[in-house]
Amino acid sequence: MINQVTLVGRLTRDPELKFTTEGTPVTQITLAVNRNYRNQNGEIDTDFVQCTLWRKSAENTCQYCRKGGVLGITGRLQSRYYDSREGKRIYITEVIAESVRFLSSKPKAINTEERKEGGVSVGM
């Protein structure tokens, strides 16, 4: 079986690094990916694709990428579900990244404390 996804899109917000209870770095991002055709109004629609990045890919993306930055991601599609408190089954489909390429101009690394304070801005 083949399960391979390739995306190029823009980050919809600054990525935030989190850690699992075992200490594994992870970040969840959303890529805005333009469709390659126009709708009936002549506009290009955009899909917003949820992606999960693990370990060094997550760390590097959080350190070097900002909202609006262009990323290339290859990975696999994964579906999962959970039951909400109201008893409704919620389905989630996401891309689990296996490779991440930074396609914007090379930004400077940002110190996590500076980012929280809003003292540094990096243009992409």
Side-chain angles (χ1 to χ4, degrees), residues 16-44:
E16 295 180 30
L17 189 62
K18 297 181 180 181
F19 295 88
T20 64
T21 54
E22 293 82 24
T24 305
V26 62
T27 188
Q28 293 181 313
I29 62 170
T30 302
L31 277 187
V33 181
N34 289 339
R35 295 183 182 175
N36 57 1
Y37 59 88
R38 296 186 183 274
N39 62 21
Q40 292 178 341
N41 298 328
E43 301 166 343
I44 297 176

Side-chain angles (χ1 to χ4, degrees), residues 64-77:
Y64 294 107
C65 298
R66 300 291 164 265
K67 177 181 177 178
V70 180
L71 295 181
I73 292 181
T74 58
R76 60 185 164 78
L77 199 60

Side-chain angles (χ1 to χ4, degrees), residues 40-54:
Q40 292 178 341
N41 298 328
E43 301 166 343
I44 297 176
D45 288 328
T46 302
D47 291 306
F48 296 91
V49 183
Q50 305 296 316
C51 303
T52 301
L53 289 63
W54 292 93

Side-chain angles (χ1 to χ4, degrees), residues 49-117:
V49 183
Q50 305 296 316
C51 303
T52 301
L53 289 63
W54 292 93
R55 297 173 186 78
K56 200 64 175 171
S57 292
E59 292 175 330
N60 288 339
T61 300
C62 289
Q63 184 174 4
Y64 294 107
C65 298
R66 300 291 164 265
K67 177 181 177 178
V70 180
L71 295 181
I73 292 181
T74 58
R76 60 185 164 78
L77 199 60
Q78 179 173 294
S79 296
R80 57 189 168 92
Y81 67 87
Y82 66 92
D83 294 324
S84 70
R85 291 181 182 160
E86 295 81 31
K88 183 177 179 185
R89 185 156 283 179
I90 307 296
Y91 291 91
I92 298 171
T93 301
E94 62 192 337
V95 173
I96 305 300
E98 295 168 357
S99 172
V100 179
R101 298 263 181 173
F102 306 153
L103 301 176
S104 296
S105 60
K106 187 175 180 180
K108 295 178 184 175
I110 244 182
N111 181 317
T112 307
E113 292 304 313
E114 291 174 343
R115 180 202 271 180
K116 287 180 184 174
E117 295 171 8

